[in-house]
């Protein structure tokens, strides 16, 4: 806690140097963040809600005993606290002002000392270094004494969340019922760490981040006062880098002025901040959207070679994806002057071509990729692999587009026409003649080579254009295996040595109907959740064509295992009904019988896989 004294007089300064006739020394340089610190509510930028509430409270006389100000760094919490202290104690030498007011056109009696944090009745305490109950006890002991010269005794406690639990508890009584001449102003960046018992005794104000365009206007005004020439694009870069913090923007602007030593250019600011060229980031985005991985690699390596951080490049890409998405949803976003003209024009173009699903997918991949690069031992290589993933899914269709393409192709899977790593034709719209020269579909008998690829770029709200497909006429047709009944399917699983699928087909499913390429089943409760997907994928792999595996609510046939067990039980009952067997049971009470087949019985149209081989003869034993 600081008790401010009076400023030293000119005589004291002169005597301290023992140079009575020496010329006055030049005033020390003050950084822009201190030089242009707001002195009244009119100078506060971006906090209109707070200014309006405080103004109405002062005009109506509804002034609370405590305020708590919260917000991110550099938005004006401590400055607002000092302005409040100045407004509470605003007095003119002629006595024309009789009470608290927000109208402070000129400096009053106490204003300069309050704003310089040296007034005896405005006490500032940094809770980060005064955390204990003893510090709060000093406030409790001094608060009952009237102010020395001002109207109110104001206590400004910065970073109040750093106080200990005992210190907060010691504050409660004084905070709830302070003397009429005492006011409290708390400031914190961690409002959640402040006890609710303290919050309930204060009026809370959340100071918001300042918009980039407001920061640009503010920096432009300061540049004019300082006589500094600066490019508007450079101001936009600084405003975005400040992330809504006025102090950060002024500190960066101060650094940029020193770095440029003249005209502050956008390139100089990017170099100072270690940022990639915004235009080159957009070029990289363009290459990824077209699926041109070679161009994307080249662009990334060029940025990396000139010093761009891979994490910063990916972060800038993610930021541009977000900007394009916002422009697609709210086109007026592109009018924000905080973004460069090139950035706004190209964002509009991308927003009209890229679907929302593609932008969302790209955002998710970048978000995950940034985390991977941050933990990688070789960030550049990790960033390149992230770019590979994004480029290779650039022309993948969304699920609904894939279904539509399959339906339009007559149920067959379209073949990749791009290869994933070459430029997608969606940005460079192909002519009708070149599109017509390509085969429109793959013959139904031809096996698919990979997952279907589809367009990512759309013109306006038009339906997605089908991908140009490369025909397979020159390739030799592969053999397609035809399956017409369920036993053949089980036998195929046995031939492929897939015991899990064979066991599931025998015990976990009930057949409804089967055709070549279509299988309809009812599931048992014991069936795995992934069985249908696994079965569909493996059937396509084994037979060379796509299968539609459908789950039905019909009862269906008994499972194969149940059929085998029923056949075994029927043989058991038939054997027990034989007179000779009954005569044996009569001579040997309690005897048990086991039925074994002398040869496997193969029902018509059935397979030996349906019947387990239990032996080669029938008989009985004790």
């Amino acid at each position: 806690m600081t008790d401010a004294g009076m400023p030293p007089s000119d005589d004291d300064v002169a005597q301290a140097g023992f140079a009575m006739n020496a010329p006055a020394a030049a005033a020390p340089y003050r950084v822009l963040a201190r030089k242009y610190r707001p002195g009244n509510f009119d100078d506060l930028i971006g906090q209109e809600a707070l200014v309006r509430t405080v103004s109405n409270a002062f005009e109506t006389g509804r002034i609370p005993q405590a305020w708590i100000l919260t917000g991110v760094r550099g938005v004006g919490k401590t400055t607002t606290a000092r302005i409040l202290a100045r407004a509470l104690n605003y007095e003119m030498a002629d006595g024309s002002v009789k009470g608290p007011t927000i109208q402070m056109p000129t400096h009053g009696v106490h204003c300069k000392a309050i704003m310089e944090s040296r007034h005896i009745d405005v006490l500032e305490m940094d809770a980060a270094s005064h955390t204990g109950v003893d510090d709060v006890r000093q406030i409790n002991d001094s608060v009952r004494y009237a102010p020395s010269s001002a109207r109110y005794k104001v206590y400004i406690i910065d970073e109040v969340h750093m106080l200990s639990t005992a210190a907060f508890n010691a504050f409660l009584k004084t905070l709830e019922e302070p003397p009429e001449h005492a006011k409290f102003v708390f400031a914190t960046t961690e409002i959640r760490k402040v006890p609710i018992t303290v919050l309930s005794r204060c009026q809370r104000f959340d100071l918001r981040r300042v918009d980039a365009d407001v920061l640009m206007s503010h920096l432009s005004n300061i540049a004019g006062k300082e006589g500094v020439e600066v490019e508007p694009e450079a101001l936009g870069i600084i405003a975005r880098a400040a992330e809504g913090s006025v102090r950060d923007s002024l500190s960066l602007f101060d650094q940029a002025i020193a770095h440029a030593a003249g005209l502050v250019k956008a390139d100089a600011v990017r170099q100072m901040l270690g940022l990639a060229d915004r235009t080159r980031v957009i070029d990289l985005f363009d290459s990824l959207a077209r699926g041109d991985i070679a161009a994307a690699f080249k662009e990334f390596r060029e940025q990396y070679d000139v010093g761009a951080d891979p994490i910063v490049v990916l972060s800038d890409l993610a930021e541009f994806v977000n900007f394009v998405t916002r422009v697609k949803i709210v086109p007026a976003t592109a009018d924000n002057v905080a973004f460069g003209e090139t950035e706004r024009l190209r964002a509009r173009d991308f927003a009209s071509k890229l679907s929302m699903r593609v932008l969302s997918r790209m955002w998710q991949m970048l978000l995950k990729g940034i985390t991977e690069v941050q933990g990688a031992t070789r960030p550049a290589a990790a960033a390149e692999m992230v770019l590979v993933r994004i480029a290779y899914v650039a022309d993948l269709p969304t699920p609904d587009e894939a279904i539509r393409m399959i339906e339009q192709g007559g149920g067959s899977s379209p073949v990749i026409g791009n290869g994933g790593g070459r430029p997608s034709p969606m940005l460079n719209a192909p002519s009708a003649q070149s599109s017509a020269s390509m085969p429109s579909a793959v013959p139904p008998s031809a096996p698919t080579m990979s997952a279907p690829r589809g367009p990512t770029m759309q013109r306006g709200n038009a339906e997605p254009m089908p991908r140009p497909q490369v025909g397979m006429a020159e390739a030799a047709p592969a053999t397609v295996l035809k399956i017409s009944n369920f036993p053949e399917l089980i036998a195929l699983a046995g031939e492929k040595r897939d015991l899990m699928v064979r066991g599931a087909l025998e015990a976990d499913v009930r057949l409804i109907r089967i055709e070549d390429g279509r299988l309809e089943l009812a599931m048992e409760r014991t069936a795995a959740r992934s069985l249908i997907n696994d079965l569909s994928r493996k059937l396509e792999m084994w037979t060379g064509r796509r299968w539609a595996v459908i789950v039905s609510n019909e009862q269906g046939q008994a499972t194969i295992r149940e059929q085998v067990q029923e056949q075994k039980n029927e043989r058991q009952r038939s054997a027990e009904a034989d007179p000779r067997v009954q005569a044996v049971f009569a001579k040997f009470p309690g005897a048990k019988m086991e039925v074994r087949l002398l040869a496997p019985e193969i029902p018509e149209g059935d397979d030996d896989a349906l019947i387990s081989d239990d032996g080669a003869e029938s008989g009985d034993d004790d």
Side-chain angles (χ1 to χ4, degrees), residues 30 33 53 76-77 133 150 174 191 260 264 296-297 413 471 548 551 571 576:
R30 298 181 68 189
T53 304
K77 297 182 295 296
V133 67
T174 301
I191 191 66
V264 180
F297 267 12
S413 175
V551 178
R571 292 195 298 268
E576 291 176 352

Side-chain angles (χ1 to χ4, degrees), residues 413-417 442 446-452 470-472 475-476 478 540 544 546:
S413 175
V415 179
I416 297 175
V442 180
T448 59
M449 301 300 294
S450 179
V470 179
M472 301 292 291
E540 182 177 1
R546 184 180 295 275

Side-chain angles (χ1 to χ4, degrees), residues 82-97:
R82 292 178 182 176
I83 294 175
L84 281 171
R86 181 189 172 197
L88 288 169
N89 293 314
Y90 188 71
E91 296 181 20
M92 298 298 293
D94 58 4
S96 58
V97 180

Side-chain angles (χ1 to χ4, degrees), residues 10 123 194 294 360 499 609 620:
D10 295 339
L123 306 150
V194 179
S360 300
L499 300 182
D620 57 340

Side-chain angles (χ1 to χ4, degrees), residues 89-417:
N89 293 314
Y90 188 71
E91 296 181 20
M92 298 298 293
D94 58 4
S96 58
V97 180
K98 302 298 183 181
T101 179
I102 64 166
Q103 303 298 332
M104 299 176 286
T106 61
H107 275 68
V109 176
H110 309 288
C111 291
K112 186 175 181 180
I114 291 174
M115 296 308 295
E116 293 178 357
S117 185
R118 56 180 179 80
H119 196 282
I120 193 172
D121 291 324
V122 178
L123 306 150
E124 291 192 26
M125 185 179 85
D126 178 21
S129 56
H130 299 78
T131 62
V133 67
D134 292 335
D135 301 298
V136 175
R137 186 179 294 118
Q138 293 182 25
I139 296 177
N140 292 339
D141 292 340
S142 63
V143 73
R144 55 174 172 249
Y145 299 109
S148 300
S149 59
R151 186 182 297 115
Y152 288 100
K153 212 170 195 178
V154 182
Y155 294 86
I156 300 174
I157 302 180
D158 204 1
E159 302 298 338
V160 69
H161 66 275
M162 300 293 288
L163 289 177
S164 65
T165 303
F168 274 124
N169 291 334
F171 230 140
L172 295 180
K173 185 62 177 177
T174 301
L175 194 58
E176 185 173 6
E177 297 178 355
E180 293 183 358
H181 60 262
K183 302 292 180 183
F184 295 90
V185 186
F186 301 143
T188 178
T189 54
E190 300 285 347
I191 191 66
R192 286 186 287 261
K193 294 183 180 179
V194 179
I196 189 63
T197 51
V198 173
L199 293 176
S200 64
R201 290 165 167 83
C202 306
Q203 278 194 7
R204 172 177 169 176
F205 292 97
D206 291 85
L207 277 66
R208 59 190 296 269
R209 295 178 185 268
V210 182
D211 294 335
D213 54 344
V214 177
L215 279 177
M216 284 183 63
S217 177
H218 184 57
L219 294 176
S220 180
N221 292 335
I222 292 177
K225 295 176 182 178
E226 291 289 316
V228 176
E229 295 183 7
V230 57
E231 293 181 351
E233 187 178 355
L235 293 180
I237 296 173
I238 293 174
R240 290 196 299 270
E243 297 180 343
S245 170
V246 182
R247 184 175 61 229
D248 285 10
S249 67
L250 290 173
S251 298
L252 291 174
F253 189 38
D254 218 345
Q255 182 180 354
I257 294 172
H259 178 78
L263 174 64
V264 180
K265 296 182 178 180
D267 292 339
V269 175
R270 289 193 192 96
Q271 184 181 6
M272 179 190 76
L273 298 177
L275 299 177
D277 188 341
R278 201 71 177 177
T279 303
R280 304 192 67 172
V281 169
I282 300 174
D283 291 339
L284 179 58
F285 176 86
D286 183 29
S287 300
L288 294 176
R290 290 186 290 109
D292 191 352
I293 187 60
F297 267 12
K298 181 175 180 293
E299 182 61 45
F300 173 76
R301 273 296 167 181
E302 288 178 355
Q303 295 186 33
Y304 180 74
D305 291 341
V306 297
D309 188 346
I311 298 176
V312 174
V313 173
L314 294 184
S315 299
D316 288 346
L317 269 176
E319 183 181 350
F320 186 70
V321 171
N322 174 262
F323 181 53
V324 173
T325 306
R326 290 162 55 200
V327 171
K328 188 173 185 67
I329 298 173
V330 184
T333 306
D335 299 330
N336 191 340
V337 295
F339 297 91
E341 182 67 20
T342 302
E343 191 171 358
R344 288 183 280 136
L345 289 176
R346 300 191 68 179
R348 284 194 182 99
D349 185 46
F350 285 124
S352 65
K353 295 178 181 178
L354 289 168
S355 68
M356 189 61 67
R357 293 185 181 92
V358 170
L359 291 170
S360 300
R361 181 169 58 193
M362 190 176 292
W363 168 263
Q364 292 294 336
M365 296 182 73
L366 282 170
L367 209 62
K368 185 173 184 295
I370 291 172
T371 304
E372 293 177 357
V373 174
Q374 288 174 340
T377 56
R378 298 180 60 191
E384 287 180 340
M385 297 310 297
V386 173
L387 299 181
V388 169
R389 291 204 300 265
I390 296 174
Y392 265 77
V393 302
D395 57 352
L396 273 178
T398 55
D400 57 335
E401 293 171 351
I403 293 173
R404 191 182 303 115
M405 293 171 62
I406 293 172
E407 291 174 351
Q408 292 175 354
S412 63
S413 175
V415 179
I416 297 175

